[in-house]
Amino acid sequence: DAKTTQPTSMDCAEGRAANLPCNHSTISGNEYVYWYRQIHSQGPQYIIHGLKNNETNEMASLIITEDRKSSTLILPHATLRDTAVYYCIVRVASYKLIFGSGTRLLVRP
Amino acid sequence: GAGVSQTPSNKVTEKGKYVELRCDPISGHTALYWYRQSLGQGPEFLIYFQGTGAADDSGLPNDRFFAVRPEGSVSTLKIQRTERGDSAVYLCASSPTGASVQETQYFGPGTRLLVL
């Protein structure tokens, strides 16, 4: 699976959009970009995934660049409960998720 | 509906002891996964079950670790002769079939193991 690079930490103000970047420059054509998050003392929670088109669901939006070498997870109106570690994963094997160290997002009041 | 549950939520044991960690997947999910998460790190894959059989156990660190899923539902992760380095959060996840790269894995809350 392709390696991902994420900033170690970020912060944003409550109510503002949180934009979390991820670089995956070695991604292959059949590899999906997945985002999970982990709130303190809980198991990882699925957020969203995509192949090449932008995706949106009730939690977030995923913007994938045309060359697929990077992506951005957008939380449109961050709340304090969005404080968590966010993991960007490039996935080809159906059963194995390979997590990096993620981005620690702090939402400030 | 009920999510993935894991018991116990916390386990403290002494070096050299044997421990069992239990995972109850979402009802009807045939695929089950174990991961281990050390402090400050992302989860690491340990083993994947498809039904009753271990389809991939390549992530188990050594032969002290063993997992079973005898009836294709509940799974038990067993650690023999525990070492302090085994201290971590052990996460279980399940998914409906395990057959699609677009299939979401649903995680339990984890068991926090501390080996003294």
mmCIF file of all heavy atoms in Angstrom, chain B residues 72-116:
data_model
loop_
_atom_site.group_PDB
_atom_site.id
_atom_site.type_symbol
_atom_site.label_atom_id
_atom_site.label_comp_id
_atom_site.label_asym_id
_atom_site.label_seq_id
_atom_site.Cartn_x
_atom_site.Cartn_y
_atom_site.Cartn_z
ATOM 1 N N GLY B 72 -17.298 -18.639 13.992
ATOM 2 C CA GLY B 72 -17.450 -17.599 12.978
ATOM 3 C C GLY B 72 -18.092 -16.334 13.473
ATOM 4 O O GLY B 72 -18.484 -15.481 12.664
ATOM 5 N N SER B 73 -18.172 -16.197 14.805
ATOM 6 C CA SER B 73 -18.743 -14.972 15.358
ATOM 7 C C SER B 73 -17.746 -14.365 16.344
ATOM 8 O O SER B 73 -16.844 -13.646 15.933
ATOM 9 C CB SER B 73 -20.082 -15.248 16.011
ATOM 10 O OG SER B 73 -20.613 -14.072 16.578
ATOM 11 N N VAL B 74 -17.865 -14.718 17.617
ATOM 12 C CA VAL B 74 -16.963 -14.212 18.649
ATOM 13 C C VAL B 74 -15.537 -14.664 18.368
ATOM 14 O O VAL B 74 -15.297 -15.793 17.921
ATOM 15 C CB VAL B 74 -17.418 -14.706 20.027
ATOM 16 C CG1 VAL B 74 -16.381 -14.392 21.097
ATOM 17 C CG2 VAL B 74 -18.770 -14.096 20.389
ATOM 18 N N SER B 75 -14.601 -13.774 18.642
ATOM 19 C CA SER B 75 -13.184 -14.113 18.490
ATOM 20 C C SER B 75 -12.455 -13.837 19.797
ATOM 21 O O SER B 75 -12.826 -12.930 20.558
ATOM 22 C CB SER B 75 -12.551 -13.291 17.372
ATOM 23 O OG SER B 75 -11.156 -13.544 17.273
ATOM 24 N N THR B 76 -11.433 -14.637 20.050
ATOM 25 C CA THR B 76 -10.598 -14.450 21.230
ATOM 26 C C THR B 76 -9.146 -14.316 20.798
ATOM 27 O O THR B 76 -8.647 -15.161 20.047
ATOM 28 C CB THR B 76 -10.733 -15.634 22.205
ATOM 29 O OG1 THR B 76 -12.111 -15.809 22.549
ATOM 30 C CG2 THR B 76 -9.945 -15.383 23.479
ATOM 31 N N LEU B 77 -8.496 -13.280 21.265
ATOM 32 C CA LEU B 77 -7.062 -13.100 21.055
ATOM 33 C C LEU B 77 -6.364 -13.572 22.322
ATOM 34 O O LEU B 77 -6.696 -13.126 23.424
ATOM 35 C CB LEU B 77 -6.731 -11.643 20.774
ATOM 36 C CG LEU B 77 -5.253 -11.290 20.553
ATOM 37 C CD1 LEU B 77 -4.717 -11.955 19.289
ATOM 38 C CD2 LEU B 77 -5.072 -9.778 20.481
ATOM 39 N N LYS B 78 -5.432 -14.474 22.167
ATOM 40 C CA LYS B 78 -4.763 -15.089 23.316
ATOM 41 C C LYS B 78 -3.283 -14.721 23.291
ATOM 42 O O LYS B 78 -2.636 -14.839 22.245
ATOM 43 C CB LYS B 78 -4.930 -16.609 23.254
ATOM 44 C CG LYS B 78 -6.367 -17.048 23.078
ATOM 45 C CD LYS B 78 -6.518 -18.559 23.051
ATOM 46 C CE LYS B 78 -7.975 -18.953 22.869
ATOM 47 N NZ LYS B 78 -8.209 -20.387 23.135
ATOM 48 N N ILE B 79 -2.785 -14.303 24.434
ATOM 49 C CA ILE B 79 -1.373 -13.958 24.544
ATOM 50 C C ILE B 79 -0.768 -14.778 25.672
ATOM 51 O O ILE B 79 -1.206 -14.687 26.822
ATOM 52 C CB ILE B 79 -1.165 -12.449 24.818
ATOM 53 C CG1 ILE B 79 -1.972 -11.587 23.829
ATOM 54 C CG2 ILE B 79 0.323 -12.099 24.714
ATOM 55 C CD1 ILE B 79 -1.939 -10.101 24.119
ATOM 56 N N GLN B 80 0.232 -15.553 25.332
ATOM 57 C CA GLN B 80 0.911 -16.378 26.340
ATOM 58 C C GLN B 80 2.166 -15.664 26.839
ATOM 59 O O GLN B 80 2.758 -14.855 26.114
ATOM 60 C CB GLN B 80 1.318 -17.723 25.715
ATOM 61 C CG GLN B 80 0.161 -18.546 25.218
ATOM 62 C CD GLN B 80 0.639 -19.836 24.555
ATOM 63 O OE1 GLN B 80 1.636 -19.852 23.842
ATOM 64 N NE2 GLN B 80 -0.062 -20.920 24.819
ATOM 65 N N ARG B 81 2.543 -15.968 28.048
ATOM 66 C CA ARG B 81 3.809 -15.474 28.618
ATOM 67 C C ARG B 81 3.978 -13.982 28.331
ATOM 68 O O ARG B 81 4.942 -13.546 27.695
ATOM 69 C CB ARG B 81 4.985 -16.264 28.062
ATOM 70 C CG ARG B 81 4.870 -17.767 28.279
ATOM 71 C CD ARG B 81 6.112 -18.500 27.786
ATOM 72 N NE ARG B 81 6.394 -18.242 26.368
ATOM 73 C CZ ARG B 81 5.792 -18.821 25.352
ATOM 74 N NH1 ARG B 81 4.803 -19.696 25.582
ATOM 75 N NH2 ARG B 81 6.143 -18.545 24.106
ATOM 76 N N THR B 82 3.011 -13.205 28.776
ATOM 77 C CA THR B 82 2.999 -11.781 28.446
ATOM 78 C C THR B 82 4.296 -11.083 28.846
ATOM 79 O O THR B 82 4.939 -11.432 29.841
ATOM 80 C CB THR B 82 1.820 -11.074 29.122
ATOM 81 O OG1 THR B 82 1.835 -11.359 30.529
ATOM 82 C CG2 THR B 82 0.498 -11.483 28.520
ATOM 83 N N GLU B 83 4.639 -10.093 28.036
ATOM 84 C CA GLU B 83 5.818 -9.269 28.282
ATOM 85 C C GLU B 83 5.374 -7.809 28.401
ATOM 86 O O GLU B 83 4.307 -7.439 27.910
ATOM 87 C CB GLU B 83 6.815 -9.425 27.122
ATOM 88 C CG GLU B 83 7.309 -10.840 26.936
ATOM 89 C CD GLU B 83 8.254 -10.983 25.757
ATOM 90 O OE1 GLU B 83 8.470 -9.987 25.024
ATOM 91 O OE2 GLU B 83 8.765 -12.109 25.564
ATOM 92 N N ARG B 84 6.210 -6.990 29.031
ATOM 93 C CA ARG B 84 5.843 -5.583 29.224
ATOM 94 C C ARG B 84 5.600 -4.893 27.886
ATOM 95 O O ARG B 84 4.753 -4.013 27.762
ATOM 96 C CB ARG B 84 6.914 -4.867 30.036
ATOM 97 C CG ARG B 84 6.975 -5.364 31.453
ATOM 98 C CD ARG B 84 7.777 -4.473 32.381
ATOM 99 N NE ARG B 84 7.787 -5.038 33.731
ATOM 100 C CZ ARG B 84 8.661 -5.930 34.183
ATOM 101 N NH1 ARG B 84 9.653 -6.339 33.390
ATOM 102 N NH2 ARG B 84 8.582 -6.403 35.411
ATOM 103 N N GLY B 85 6.316 -5.318 26.859
ATOM 104 C CA GLY B 85 6.153 -4.734 25.531
ATOM 105 C C GLY B 85 4.825 -5.067 24.867
ATOM 106 O O GLY B 85 4.491 -4.484 23.830
ATOM 107 N N ASP B 86 4.065 -5.991 25.467
ATOM 108 C CA ASP B 86 2.741 -6.311 24.924
ATOM 109 C C ASP B 86 1.706 -5.288 25.368
ATOM 110 O O ASP B 86 0.567 -5.307 24.874
ATOM 111 C CB ASP B 86 2.287 -7.700 25.399
ATOM 112 C CG ASP B 86 3.215 -8.808 24.926
ATOM 113 O OD1 ASP B 86 3.896 -8.625 23.894
ATOM 114 O OD2 ASP B 86 3.272 -9.863 25.599
ATOM 115 N N SER B 87 2.061 -4.409 26.277
ATOM 116 C CA SER B 87 1.128 -3.388 26.746
ATOM 117 C C SER B 87 0.719 -2.493 25.583
ATOM 118 O O SER B 87 1.567 -1.922 24.888
ATOM 119 C CB SER B 87 1.772 -2.535 27.842
ATOM 120 O OG SER B 87 2.086 -3.318 28.975
ATOM 121 N N ALA B 88 -0.578 -2.393 25.362
ATOM 122 C CA ALA B 88 -1.109 -1.655 24.220
ATOM 123 C C ALA B 88 -2.629 -1.702 24.293
ATOM 124 O O ALA B 88 -3.195 -2.358 25.171
ATOM 125 C CB ALA B 88 -0.639 -2.278 22.898
ATOM 126 N N VAL B 89 -3.265 -1.021 23.345
ATOM 127 C CA VAL B 89 -4.709 -1.171 23.159
ATOM 128 C C VAL B 89 -4.924 -2.157 22.017
ATOM 129 O O VAL B 89 -4.367 -1.985 20.927
ATOM 130 C CB VAL B 89 -5.376 0.178 22.826
ATOM 131 C CG1 VAL B 89 -6.868 -0.039 22.542
ATOM 132 C CG2 VAL B 89 -5.191 1.162 23.971
ATOM 133 N N TYR B 90 -5.716 -3.170 22.285
ATOM 134 C CA TYR B 90 -6.016 -4.180 21.267
ATOM 135 C C TYR B 90 -7.405 -3.903 20.728
ATOM 136 O O TYR B 90 -8.387 -3.931 21.466
ATOM 137 C CB TYR B 90 -5.890 -5.581 21.855
ATOM 138 C CG TYR B 90 -4.442 -5.917 22.134
ATOM 139 C CD1 TYR B 90 -3.822 -5.488 23.305
ATOM 140 C CD2 TYR B 90 -3.681 -6.617 21.203
ATOM 141 C CE1 TYR B 90 -2.472 -5.747 23.543
ATOM 142 C CE2 TYR B 90 -2.336 -6.885 21.426
ATOM 143 C CZ TYR B 90 -1.741 -6.436 22.596
ATOM 144 O OH TYR B 90 -0.414 -6.692 22.822
ATOM 145 N N LEU B 91 -7.462 -3.610 19.445
ATOM 146 C CA LEU B 91 -8.703 -3.217 18.784
ATOM 147 C C LEU B 91 -9.221 -4.343 17.912
ATOM 148 O O LEU B 91 -8.452 -5.025 17.229
ATOM 149 C CB LEU B 91 -8.445 -1.982 17.900
ATOM 150 C CG LEU B 91 -8.081 -0.684 18.629
ATOM 151 C CD1 LEU B 91 -7.381 0.266 17.678
ATOM 152 C CD2 LEU B 91 -9.311 -0.041 19.218
ATOM 153 N N CYS B 92 -10.515 -4.494 17.927
ATOM 154 C CA CYS B 92 -11.177 -5.460 17.060
ATOM 155 C C CYS B 92 -12.085 -4.698 16.104
ATOM 156 O O CYS B 92 -12.663 -3.662 16.479
ATOM 157 C CB CYS B 92 -11.988 -6.439 17.905
ATOM 158 S SG CYS B 92 -12.919 -7.645 16.949
ATOM 159 N N ALA B 93 -12.200 -5.163 14.875
ATOM 160 C CA ALA B 93 -13.095 -4.556 13.898
ATOM 161 C C ALA B 93 -13.809 -5.664 13.149
ATOM 162 O O ALA B 93 -13.323 -6.799 13.078
ATOM 163 C CB ALA B 93 -12.318 -3.664 12.930
ATOM 164 N N SER B 94 -14.967 -5.345 12.569
ATOM 165 C CA SER B 94 -15.653 -6.316 11.720
ATOM 166 C C SER B 94 -16.213 -5.602 10.498
ATOM 167 O O SER B 94 -16.363 -4.366 10.485
ATOM 168 C CB SER B 94 -16.755 -7.043 12.489
ATOM 169 O OG SER B 94 -17.856 -6.192 12.762
ATOM 170 N N SER B 95 -16.481 -6.379 9.474
ATOM 171 C CA SER B 95 -17.114 -5.850 8.273
ATOM 172 C C SER B 95 -17.990 -6.950 7.678
ATOM 173 O O SER B 95 -17.796 -8.128 7.977
ATOM 174 C CB SER B 95 -16.067 -5.352 7.266
ATOM 175 O OG SER B 95 -15.322 -6.406 6.716
ATOM 176 N N PRO B 96 -18.942 -6.593 6.820
ATOM 177 C CA PRO B 96 -19.921 -7.583 6.354
ATOM 178 C C PRO B 96 -19.313 -8.816 5.678
ATOM 179 O O PRO B 96 -19.680 -9.937 6.014
ATOM 180 C CB PRO B 96 -20.791 -6.776 5.388
ATOM 181 C CG PRO B 96 -20.737 -5.388 5.900
ATOM 182 C CD PRO B 96 -19.341 -5.229 6.421
ATOM 183 N N THR B 97 -18.375 -8.607 4.738
ATOM 184 C CA THR B 97 -17.861 -9.753 3.995
ATOM 185 C C THR B 97 -16.345 -9.804 3.906
ATOM 186 O O THR B 97 -15.768 -10.859 3.694
ATOM 187 C CB THR B 97 -18.404 -9.765 2.547
ATOM 188 O OG1 THR B 97 -17.826 -8.668 1.831
ATOM 189 C CG2 THR B 97 -19.914 -9.662 2.520
ATOM 190 N N GLY B 98 -15.692 -8.652 4.003
ATOM 191 C CA GLY B 98 -14.248 -8.589 3.809
ATOM 192 C C GLY B 98 -13.830 -8.683 2.358
ATOM 193 O O GLY B 98 -12.650 -8.725 2.035
ATOM 194 N N ALA B 99 -14.804 -8.700 1.443
ATOM 195 C CA ALA B 99 -14.497 -8.996 0.042
ATOM 196 C C ALA B 99 -14.260 -7.772 -0.812
ATOM 197 O O ALA B 99 -13.789 -7.893 -1.940
ATOM 198 C CB ALA B 99 -15.618 -9.823 -0.560
ATOM 199 N N SER B 100 -14.612 -6.607 -0.311
ATOM 200 C CA SER B 100 -14.521 -5.405 -1.138
ATOM 201 C C SER B 100 -13.631 -4.363 -0.487
ATOM 202 O O SER B 100 -13.703 -4.121 0.710
ATOM 203 C CB SER B 100 -15.911 -4.806 -1.346
ATOM 204 O OG SER B 100 -15.813 -3.511 -1.913
ATOM 205 N N VAL B 101 -12.820 -3.708 -1.309
ATOM 206 C CA VAL B 101 -11.957 -2.645 -0.812
ATOM 207 C C VAL B 101 -12.788 -1.432 -0.402
ATOM 208 O O VAL B 101 -12.299 -0.546 0.286
ATOM 209 C CB VAL B 101 -10.908 -2.272 -1.880
ATOM 210 C CG1 VAL B 101 -11.557 -1.500 -3.024
ATOM 211 C CG2 VAL B 101 -9.793 -1.452 -1.283
ATOM 212 N N GLN B 102 -14.059 -1.407 -0.797
ATOM 213 C CA GLN B 102 -14.916 -0.285 -0.418
ATOM 214 C C GLN B 102 -15.735 -0.586 0.829
ATOM 215 O O GLN B 102 -16.591 0.197 1.206
ATOM 216 C CB GLN B 102 -15.857 0.073 -1.571
ATOM 217 C CG GLN B 102 -15.142 0.618 -2.789
ATOM 218 C CD GLN B 102 -16.067 1.448 -3.640
ATOM 219 O OE1 GLN B 102 -16.537 2.492 -3.206
ATOM 220 N NE2 GLN B 102 -16.352 0.969 -4.844
ATOM 221 N N GLU B 103 -15.453 -1.715 1.467
ATOM 222 C CA GLU B 103 -16.235 -2.107 2.629
ATOM 223 C C GLU B 103 -15.655 -1.471 3.884
ATOM 224 O O GLU B 103 -14.455 -1.572 4.157
ATOM 225 C CB GLU B 103 -16.227 -3.624 2.764
ATOM 226 C CG GLU B 103 -17.273 -4.187 3.671
ATOM 227 C CD GLU B 103 -17.317 -5.694 3.537
ATOM 228 O OE1 GLU B 103 -16.559 -6.357 4.278
ATOM 229 O OE2 GLU B 103 -18.083 -6.188 2.709
ATOM 230 N N THR B 104 -16.518 -0.834 4.670
ATOM 231 C CA THR B 104 -16.081 -0.164 5.887
ATOM 232 C C THR B 104 -15.811 -1.175 6.986
ATOM 233 O O THR B 104 -16.580 -2.116 7.183
ATOM 234 C CB THR B 104 -17.162 0.817 6.359
ATOM 235 O OG1 THR B 104 -17.360 1.807 5.339
ATOM 236 C CG2 THR B 104 -16.767 1.506 7.652
ATOM 237 N N GLN B 105 -14.732 -0.959 7.719
ATOM 238 C CA GLN B 105 -14.468 -1.737 8.925
ATOM 239 C C GLN B 105 -14.964 -0.930 10.123
ATOM 240 O O GLN B 105 -14.657 0.247 10.268
ATOM 241 C CB GLN B 105 -12.971 -2.015 9.071
ATOM 242 C CG GLN B 105 -12.447 -2.967 8.014
ATOM 243 C CD GLN B 105 -10.994 -3.334 8.206
ATOM 244 O OE1 GLN B 105 -10.420 -3.154 9.281
ATOM 245 N NE2 GLN B 105 -10.376 -3.849 7.160
ATOM 246 N N TYR B 106 -15.725 -1.601 10.977
ATOM 247 C CA TYR B 106 -16.292 -0.968 12.165
ATOM 248 C C TYR B 106 -15.512 -1.446 13.383
ATOM 249 O O TYR B 106 -15.423 -2.648 13.626
ATOM 250 C CB TYR B 106 -17.773 -1.322 12.308
ATOM 251 C CG TYR B 106 -18.610 -0.833 11.146
ATOM 252 C CD1 TYR B 106 -18.810 -1.655 10.042
ATOM 253 C CD2 TYR B 106 -19.177 0.432 11.148
ATOM 254 C CE1 TYR B 106 -19.566 -1.219 8.958
ATOM 255 C CE2 TYR B 106 -19.938 0.880 10.080
ATOM 256 C CZ TYR B 106 -20.117 0.052 8.985
ATOM 257 O OH TYR B 106 -20.855 0.494 7.906
ATOM 258 N N PHE B 107 -14.984 -0.486 14.121
ATOM 259 C CA PHE B 107 -14.107 -0.813 15.240
ATOM 260 C C PHE B 107 -14.846 -0.819 16.572
ATOM 261 O O PHE B 107 -15.776 -0.029 16.784
ATOM 262 C CB PHE B 107 -12.962 0.202 15.326
ATOM 263 C CG PHE B 107 -11.881 -0.011 14.309
ATOM 264 C CD1 PHE B 107 -12.034 0.438 13.010
ATOM 265 C CD2 PHE B 107 -10.713 -0.670 14.656
ATOM 266 C CE1 PHE B 107 -11.033 0.235 12.054
ATOM 267 C CE2 PHE B 107 -9.703 -0.871 13.724
ATOM 268 C CZ PHE B 107 -9.867 -0.420 12.423
ATOM 269 N N GLY B 108 -14.370 -1.676 17.460
ATOM 270 C CA GLY B 108 -14.803 -1.645 18.842
ATOM 271 C C GLY B 108 -13.994 -0.635 19.628
ATOM 272 O O GLY B 108 -13.074 -0.014 19.094
ATOM 273 N N PRO B 109 -14.288 -0.494 20.924
ATOM 274 C CA PRO B 109 -13.611 0.498 21.757
ATOM 275 C C PRO B 109 -12.212 0.077 22.197
ATOM 276 O O PRO B 109 -11.440 0.907 22.676
ATOM 277 C CB PRO B 109 -14.534 0.640 22.966
ATOM 278 C CG PRO B 109 -15.216 -0.688 23.048
ATOM 279 C CD PRO B 109 -15.383 -1.157 21.652
ATOM 280 N N GLY B 110 -11.909 -1.197 22.025
ATOM 281 C CA GLY B 110 -10.578 -1.663 22.391
ATOM 282 C C GLY B 110 -10.482 -2.206 23.801
ATOM 283 O O GLY B 110 -11.319 -1.916 24.659
ATOM 284 N N THR B 111 -9.463 -3.029 24.019
ATOM 285 C CA THR B 111 -9.081 -3.497 25.357
ATOM 286 C C THR B 111 -7.702 -2.939 25.650
ATOM 287 O O THR B 111 -6.767 -3.152 24.870
ATOM 288 C CB THR B 111 -9.032 -5.033 25.438
ATOM 289 O OG1 THR B 111 -10.337 -5.570 25.321
ATOM 290 C CG2 THR B 111 -8.431 -5.470 26.775
ATOM 291 N N ARG B 112 -7.599 -2.225 26.773
ATOM 292 C CA ARG B 112 -6.311 -1.661 27.172
ATOM 293 C C ARG B 112 -5.600 -2.666 28.056
ATOM 294 O O ARG B 112 -6.065 -2.960 29.148
ATOM 295 C CB ARG B 112 -6.527 -0.341 27.918
ATOM 296 C CG ARG B 112 -6.865 0.778 26.978
ATOM 297 C CD ARG B 112 -7.690 1.887 27.612
ATOM 298 N NE ARG B 112 -8.167 2.792 26.591
ATOM 299 C CZ ARG B 112 -9.191 2.551 25.771
ATOM 300 N NH1 ARG B 112 -9.858 1.441 25.885
ATOM 301 N NH2 ARG B 112 -9.549 3.425 24.852
ATOM 302 N N LEU B 113 -4.504 -3.211 27.540
ATOM 303 C CA LEU B 113 -3.741 -4.219 28.272
ATOM 304 C C LEU B 113 -2.495 -3.574 28.858
ATOM 305 O O LEU B 113 -1.727 -2.922 28.149
ATOM 306 C CB LEU B 113 -3.344 -5.363 27.332
ATOM 307 C CG LEU B 113 -2.442 -6.429 27.947
ATOM 308 C CD1 LEU B 113 -3.178 -7.197 29.043
ATOM 309 C CD2 LEU B 113 -1.927 -7.396 26.881
ATOM 310 N N LEU B 114 -2.306 -3.775 30.145
ATOM 311 C CA LEU B 114 -1.111 -3.305 30.815
ATOM 312 C C LEU B 114 -0.424 -4.494 31.461
ATOM 313 O O LEU B 114 -1.027 -5.195 32.277
ATOM 314 C CB LEU B 114 -1.450 -2.252 31.878
ATOM 315 C CG LEU B 114 -0.280 -1.737 32.721
ATOM 316 C CD1 LEU B 114 0.756 -1.050 31.835
ATOM 317 C CD2 LEU B 114 -0.768 -0.796 33.811
ATOM 318 N N VAL B 115 0.802 -4.719 31.065
ATOM 319 C CA VAL B 115 1.596 -5.817 31.636
ATOM 320 C C VAL B 115 2.633 -5.215 32.577
ATOM 321 O O VAL B 115 3.488 -4.428 32.151
ATOM 322 C CB VAL B 115 2.285 -6.632 30.524
ATOM 323 C CG1 VAL B 115 3.059 -7.803 31.146
ATOM 324 C CG2 VAL B 115 1.269 -7.141 29.511
ATOM 325 N N LEU B 116 2.521 -5.591 33.835
ATOM 326 C CA LEU B 116 3.437 -5.035 34.856
ATOM 327 C C LEU B 116 4.704 -5.869 35.002
ATOM 328 O O LEU B 116 4.679 -7.076 34.732
ATOM 329 C CB LEU B 116 2.705 -4.938 36.193
ATOM 330 C CG LEU B 116 1.459 -4.038 36.193
ATOM 331 C CD1 LEU B 116 0.778 -4.120 37.556
ATOM 332 C CD2 LEU B 116 1.839 -2.613 35.852
#
